[in-house]
Amino acid sequence: MIRHRQITKLNPKLVEKKLQEFFNEDNIAEDITTNTMLKDKKTVEAHFVAKEDMVFAGKEIINQGFKECFIISIKNDGVYFKAGEVIAELSGQTEVILKKERVVLNLLQRLSGIATKTNTLVKKLKKFNIQLLDTRKTTPGLREFEKFAVSVGGGINHRFSLKEAVMIKDNHLMGSSNLKEAVNNAAKHNPGKDIQVEVDTREQLEEALETQATSILLDNFSPTNLENIVKYIRSHKNGANIYIELSGGINAENIDSYCIEGVNGISMGALTHNIKSKDISLDLK
């Protein structure tokens, strides 16, 4: 069950617009080092090289970032590279490449880090038919890019923004403890939208199952208790088709213990906010 819009490719116009913002931030037109050192218009060949094993994400960033250059070859998003393998080759003026390389590499390295980590965890969940979900814990201004990288790695995009689905948490019930009324009101005003309720106790879960909620988020439940909790949900008159999501305290080291029959998805903010960029170099030939 896919509940939300999936970002499976980057819009070239968006990439172009964002890159221009980033290039402006870096003042590439006023690169005093390159402007001082390079007086002639030399053409060179440049290779993007994977310096460690990785799943690559960011083909459109290279295409849009180096539009003035000739792309000799470039591999697709989602390709697995061994250290030392060439991701892309291009030729162009030295000054253009040098001025833009850092911005482009920063993005490629981060997105490839996200895609690689996602891919590693997706493989653990695949045999249990459990989706690996991202969250809204993304870098401001880079959400489209980072959620795309999750998709490249085989993960599933959770809601992109606050308007795409209802997610009711404790803080939303401040001043009103009537969950059923809150859910019914949300369903009435948002037809066709996923209505998710976050619960962190058995009592809250029992109450949530008596509402029109279409998804249940079990937050910070101990894996030792989850098997019985999930069985209880599936045996409930309203729980057979409800989407069951797990979150809270789940990481690469303990994710295996959360692979429980009946669970639909596991969401991890760490996929995008706690990531190690992959090492990619741009070598001039």
Side-chain angles (χ1 to χ4, degrees):
M1 181 192 303
I2 303 293
R3 296 175 295 167
H4 310 293
R5 176 173 67 96
Q6 299 301 295
I7 303 170
T8 57
K9 61 181 181 179
L10 286 175
N11 185 317
K13 293 294 185 183
L14 172 71
V15 176
E16 182 182 35
K17 177 176 178 291
K18 287 289 187 179
L19 282 173
Q20 193 56 57
E21 292 176 11
F22 304 149
F23 291 146
N24 290 342
E25 178 185 61
D26 211 25
N27 283 317
I28 66 170
E30 300 178 52
D31 176 0
I32 58 177
T33 306
T34 301
N35 290 343
T36 302
M37 299 294 293
L38 299 178
K39 297 298 185 181
D40 52 352
K41 305 289 185 181
K42 285 187 176 180
T43 297
V44 296
E45 191 170 299
H47 293 183
F48 287 88
V49 181
K51 306 301 286 186
E52 58 183 312
D53 297 355
M54 70 181 71
V55 174
F56 169 65
K59 177 181 179 180
E60 195 60 45
I61 294 168
I62 296 176
N63 284 333
Q64 296 301 321
F66 293 103
K67 293 178 77 169
E68 308 97 322
C69 299
F70 175 69
I71 307 295
I72 300 169
S73 67
I74 186 169
K75 297 296 176 62
N76 290 325
D77 296 306
V79 171
Y80 183 82
F81 287 93
K82 289 282 190 181
E85 292 184 329
V86 175
I87 297 170
E89 300 171 291
L90 57 87
S91 65
Q93 290 184 7
T94 310
E95 62 172 317
V96 171
I97 296 171
L98 290 179
K99 288 178 178 181
K100 292 183 170 184
E101 69 167 323
R102 186 70 270 154
V103 167
V104 172
L105 282 174
N106 286 347
L107 290 170
L108 296 180
Q109 290 171 330
R110 179 162 184 80
L111 298 195
S112 296
I114 293 171
T116 303
K117 183 171 184 176
T118 300
N119 187 254
T120 298
L121 295 175
V122 163
K123 289 176 180 177
K124 292 188 174 189
L125 302 183
K126 188 173 183 180
K127 62 183 177 181
F128 299 98
N129 199 29
I130 296 174
Q131 298 174 346
L132 181 65
L133 309 163
D134 56 25
T135 70
R136 286 170 38 253
K137 294 179 181 178
T138 54
T139 308
L142 287 180
R143 182 170 294 174
E144 188 101 4
F145 289 79
E146 292 179 348
K147 281 182 169 282
F148 164 73
V150 169
S151 180
V152 169
I156 300 296
N157 297 141
H158 208 302
R159 60 178 181 164
F160 183 82
S161 69
L162 293 170
K163 78 171 189 177
E164 293 191 358
V166 175
M167 184 184 289
I168 300 174
K169 304 182 180 183
D170 286 344
N171 287 345
H172 293 110
L173 298 173
M174 292 288 287
S176 172
S177 59
N178 192 326
L179 178 61
K180 189 170 186 177
E181 184 178 298
V183 172
N184 289 345
N185 187 52
K188 177 182 177 182
H189 289 92
N190 301 280
K193 298 285 189 181
D194 183 43
I195 310 294
Q196 185 167 46
V197 177
E198 179 183 284
V199 302
D200 51 27
T201 67
R202 175 68 177 251
E203 292 71 28
Q204 289 177 333
L205 173 61
E206 291 173 356
E207 188 178 1
L209 285 171
E210 297 299 329
T211 72
Q212 297 181 51
T214 53
S215 298
I216 296 288
L217 173 57
L218 300 174
D219 188 42
N220 285 307
F221 277 76
S222 167
T224 57
N225 299 327
L226 276 171
E227 187 171 352
N228 288 333
I229 291 289
V230 172
K231 285 181 179 178
Y232 166 70
I233 296 172
R234 291 305 184 205
S235 65
H236 191 278
K237 67 181 189 298
N238 296 327
N241 298 315
I242 206 162
Y243 190 98
I244 301 176
E245 178 182 337
L246 308 182
S247 187
I250 306 174
N251 54 51
E253 286 67 44
N254 65 18
I255 197 169
D256 290 333
S257 61
Y258 289 89
C259 294
I260 296 164
E261 185 177 355
V263 170
N264 298 106
I266 293 175
S267 56
M268 292 178 60
L271 289 181
T272 51
H273 79 73
N274 184 20
I275 199 74
K276 182 180 183 297
S277 295
K278 287 297 180 181
D279 190 5
I280 300 173
S281 67
L282 182 58
D283 301 338
L284 300 186
K285 305 293 184 183

